Amino acid sequence: MMKAARIHAYGTPDVIRVEDAPLPKIGPDDVLVRSIAASINPVDWKIRRGYLAQMIPYEMPLTLGWDVSGIVEQIGANVTTFKPGDAVYSRPDIRRNGTYAEYVAIAARELAPKPTTISHVEAASLPLVSITAWEALITTAQMQPGQRVLIHAGAGGVGSIAIQLAKAKGAHVTATASAAKAALVRSLGADEVVDYRDPAAFAAARDLDIVFDTIGGDTQEASWNMLKPGGFLVSITQAPNPERATAEGKRAGFVFIDPNAAILRDLATMVDAGQIRPLIGGEFRLDHAARAHEASETGRTTGKIVLYTGQP
């Protein structure tokens, strides 16, 4: 048996129970990972609320969480890429039980070696947000060196990694943030910071090659005017209107990620080269997972919230 933070029904944070659960069973292509740390992402509490219930018919009880860093405990019969004792990290398949647990079963193809220069707590904060930023900027928008890129919510989990990724790839980076977080965002590599609470400054952002929308709603609506002709609006919250993109001579895309170990391998190289650093905004014990969800749902956290799920 192991400890896991699970839900038995959809609802508010108080439906999360930290309880005894069976050890996961691994298939021939799986790896059993002893989890040391997991992290909180908005998709976690959206699943907990039942927002994805029509898309993914989960069986209850469900272990939440889809970011992890830990140690390989056991490998399936077909696995040759990892061995017990390896330090790994992953954003696993969200259709399976998650990572708010002492152990998690993950397909070997979804794992990557953990960056060597950072802790498991830091590594656990990276997979989902980093794959998201990479898929949005590089895969979808096809960002090129020298392009002018604006990243909304630069101090957030995705935004803080997107700034560093864009800067490392040679872009000129503008980020939106509150005035209180401007220095932090600049320290991540932003060349310019726009105070999202200042309408004049917000409206002055123009002629951009790429706008990365991490917020949606009115922010996405305002983003169209920031783009130059041929510019690209990429969102992770709601699909931009393709008819508007065509009418304005601009381009648009929407990103909903899957596991991607190849990106995590490239990311680990960048982390170990000092090009990417995690930004941790809160740390909680596993038995305080409900409190961690409450903090995440405010939408005002800096960087990522991490859960301690086991001993190093």
Side-chain angles (χ1 to χ4, degrees):
M1 299 293 285
M2 65 174 183
K3 292 293 184 182
R6 306 195 296 179
I7 62 172
H8 292 252
Y10 297 120
T12 57
D14 59 10
V15 302
I16 300 173
R17 302 181 190 173
V18 177
E19 58 192 6
D20 290 331
L23 281 174
K25 295 180 180 179
I26 63 170
D29 299 310
D30 289 341
V31 169
L32 183 66
V33 174
R34 177 171 62 82
S35 176
I36 294 173
S39 70
I40 311 294
N41 292 289
V43 71
D44 301 4
W45 48 262
K46 290 176 182 178
I47 288 172
R48 189 208 73 225
R49 289 181 179 182
Y51 292 171
L52 275 65
Q54 296 300 315
M55 180 188 304
I56 307 173
Y58 289 110
E59 293 185 5
M60 299 291 173
L62 171 67
T63 303
L64 298 170
W66 291 276
D67 263 337
V68 67
S69 184
I71 304 295
V72 173
E73 184 81 5
Q74 183 182 349
I75 60 174
N78 296 339
V79 176
T80 59
T81 49
F82 297 98
K83 64 183 186 304
D86 286 347
V88 293
Y89 74 146
S90 178
R91 185 280 196 182
D93 188 344
I94 65 171
R95 293 169 295 184
R96 301 180 69 170
N97 271 307
T99 59
Y100 296 0
E102 293 176 320
Y103 293 88
V104 57
I106 303 173
R109 66 180 179 276
E110 297 167 2
L111 287 168
K114 168 191 161 293
T116 60
T117 56
I118 59 175
S119 68
H120 283 285
V121 169
E122 293 170 309
S125 75
L126 290 174
L128 187 146
V129 294
S130 299
I131 294 172
T132 300
W134 194 294
E135 293 276 20
L137 293 174
I138 297 176
T139 307
T140 303
Q142 298 186 334
M143 180 182 65
Q144 300 298 316
Q147 286 189 317
R148 298 182 67 237
V149 177
L150 183 138
I151 296 160
H152 285 298
V158 174
S160 62
I161 297 300
I163 290 170
Q164 297 178 76
L165 178 62
K167 191 65 178 175
K169 297 297 183 181
H172 180 279
V173 181
T174 300
T176 65
S178 66
K181 295 181 179 179
L184 169 64
V185 170
R186 288 187 185 279
S187 77
L188 297 172
D191 298 290
E192 301 176 45
V193 181
V194 173
D195 185 347
Y196 71 90
R197 295 173 177 168
D198 181 345
F202 202 78
R206 288 289 186 273
D207 298 319
L208 296 158
D209 295 288
I210 299 170
V211 174
F212 184 14
D213 167 36
T214 63
I215 301 173
D218 292 343
T219 297
Q220 184 178 109
E221 180 67 19
S223 296
W224 288 106
N225 293 330
M226 297 176 173
L227 290 166
K228 70 180 187 181
F232 203 114
L233 174 58
V234 59
S235 179
I236 57 172
T237 57
Q238 62 190 74
N241 187 330
E243 294 178 356
R244 180 169 184 177
T246 300
E248 296 190 11
K250 298 168 183 175
R251 297 170 295 155
F254 175 73
V255 171
F256 186 87
I257 69 163
D258 289 315
N260 195 318
I263 287 176
L264 293 183
R265 287 192 291 271
D266 287 343
L267 180 77
T269 298
M270 296 179 73
V271 170
D272 289 339
Q275 295 176 303
I276 303 283
R277 64 180 174 90
L279 183 62
I280 308 297
E283 302 175 29
F284 292 83
R285 301 197 313 257
L286 180 61
D287 58 354
H288 290 165
R291 288 172 51 190
H293 271 227
E294 291 171 353
S296 178
E297 288 183 75
T298 67
R300 300 194 177 279
T301 56
T302 298
K304 291 294 296 295
I305 296 172
V306 179
L307 281 182
Y308 292 93
T309 51
Q311 297 298 318

